[in-house]
Structures are given as structure tokens and as C-alpha cells.
Amino acid sequence: MSLTALLAQPASKNIIGLVEIPALFRQPEDGIFSPKPGIPLKLYKKPDPRSPALLLDSVESLDWVELGYEDRQSIAVFSKTKQWLEIGLKEGKAWIRWQSGFKFHDLDAFFGISRDSLGYDYLTNPELRLAKAPGRPLILPMPGKFDTFNIVDTFKFKGQRWLKLEFISGKHACGGENEEAKILAYGWLPLFNAAGTLNFWYHSRGC
């Protein structure tokens, strides 16, 4: 079965988290990541061991999300059961079986509980509009000429994580500040947009 045929399946909902698979990869001297010998990753069409499957032949096929500096071990996860993960690939999605050593990061908890440790946040689309409160229409324009923003509060509304943003001028994202630094506006944004992609992320390598 071809990879195209394997991935010919309906799209899932939003990304729900990330999975680290540190034991699966190595970084040779030429800087190219590749699977470690003897630790294959089998991709399944469905969360069923009897489902059509292929062995991963290159980690470059995976949909990487960088959690730490030059971290190539975190893969987007779209669905999760006790024994299975639906992961993102460059050209689709596939299921893998949970293995010892995997580490799952729940995105809702990532932003709702642990987000103070992230830093260097950025918007994935500068044309986004804001809401007055969680669940309200996204009709407020972004404040003009802001230098950075802080995520000052979070709230879960009908299963969706919302974040309250504080927009600031006169302050650099790395912490530099002048005497004229001021708060321009506040507004709320959902963690995901209507297309199911993230409205926020952070610079894992600093600013």
C-alpha cells in the first residue's frame, strides 16, 4: 500500500497535544535526523493492529513542533486513546501505537496551566480580531503599533481554551522596556481558529 492510500482518510479535529519520542531518533554528524536502527515506527490507517500499515522510512515525514531549542522529538497529535495516537505527517495523518518512553503534552494544559513558563509568545496570524470575552464574536481590531503582548488570563468556554491578551507598546518581547511603555488594550482570543490551527505559539529558541 502506498503512503497516499494509507493517508486517504477524513480529517480529524484540532491538534490536542504533542508527543515526544526521544528513543526513536538519532542525529548523525551530518545533522540529518533518522530513526534509530531496530526501533521502527509503524504507521496505521486506523487505530487497529489489523489495519493497513507502513513502516516509517524517514522522520522528515513527521509533522514536527519545536518545544525546545532545536527539539526534533515532538510530533503533533490529533486524537488519543489509551493505546493509540493519531499523529500529524507532512502530508496527512496516521495512527501509531503507544509505546514505553513516549511523553504526551496536552495543549489545553500547556496553555491553561503551564503557560507562564513559555515566554516569547507570538500570534500565528497578525490579522486576527479579538473578542470582549470568551465566546463572544471576534469583531474587535488589533491595537495599532503594539510591540508585544502578555497572556494574562485563560478561560475554558464550551470546551475551547480562550486566552486574554494584554497588548503593550514600548516594551520588547525579550523584556527591554522604556519609560513610555504602556498598555494599549485587552482582548480575548480562542486557542484555535475556525480552521482548527493554533492562534498562538512561542519562540522556543528565545526572542
Side-chain angles (χ1 to χ4, degrees), residues 6 14 61 68 71 85 91 155 161 170 196:
L6 176 69
N14 299 343
S61 301
D71 174 13
L85 298 171
E91 299 181 356
F155 186 81
R161 175 68 58 185

Side-chain angles (χ1 to χ4, degrees), residues 15-146:
I15 178 176
I16 63 168
L18 305 171
V19 60
E20 291 185 69
I21 313 180
L24 188 63
F25 309 103
R26 64 181 179 184
Q27 184 179 16
E29 294 181 1
D30 58 8
I32 299 175
F33 286 78
S34 61
K36 289 182 179 178
I39 313 179
L41 185 64
K42 186 175 285 189
L43 306 178
Y44 294 83
K45 185 173 183 178
K46 297 178 181 179
D48 184 335
R50 299 165 296 181
S51 171
L54 289 175
L55 287 177
L56 180 72
D57 58 1
S58 171
V59 296
E60 296 303 323
S61 301
L62 298 171
D63 183 11
W64 296 102
V65 180
E66 194 171 85
L67 273 177
Y69 184 75
E70 295 187 351
D71 174 13
R72 297 296 303 277
Q73 298 175 351
S74 302
I75 307 165
V77 176
F78 293 86
S79 298
K80 180 178 181 290
T81 69
K82 186 176 181 180
Q83 297 182 339
W84 295 87
L85 298 171
E86 186 185 28
I87 63 170
L89 305 178
K90 298 294 185 185
E91 299 181 356
K93 302 180 181 72
W95 289 88
I96 61 173
R97 301 188 76 168
W98 182 268
Q99 298 179 31
S100 175
F102 285 15
K103 184 177 182 181
F104 178 74
H105 300 275
D106 182 274
L107 268 189
D108 184 64
F110 201 61
F111 279 89
I113 300 174
S114 306
R115 67 107 9 239
D116 286 341
S117 64
L118 300 182
Y120 314 128
D121 306 295
Y122 67 89
L123 300 174
T124 56
N125 181 357
E127 303 300 323
L128 292 169
R129 291 196 166 244
L130 306 168
K132 290 184 177 180
R136 299 289 296 275
L138 298 167
I139 58 176
L140 302 177
M142 288 285 176
K145 297 182 179 180
F146 68 91

Side-chain angles (χ1 to χ4, degrees), residues 123 130 142-152 164-173 175-187:
L123 300 174
L130 306 168
M142 288 285 176
K145 297 182 179 180
F146 68 91
D147 294 309
T148 187
F149 68 88
N150 296 321
I151 299 176
V152 296
K164 185 178 182 180
L165 308 185
E166 174 187 72
F167 294 91
I168 304 171
S169 68
K171 180 180 180 180
H172 192 272
E177 188 171 347
N178 60 42
E179 294 180 357
E180 298 181 354
K182 62 179 181 180
I183 298 172
L184 298 177
Y186 290 93

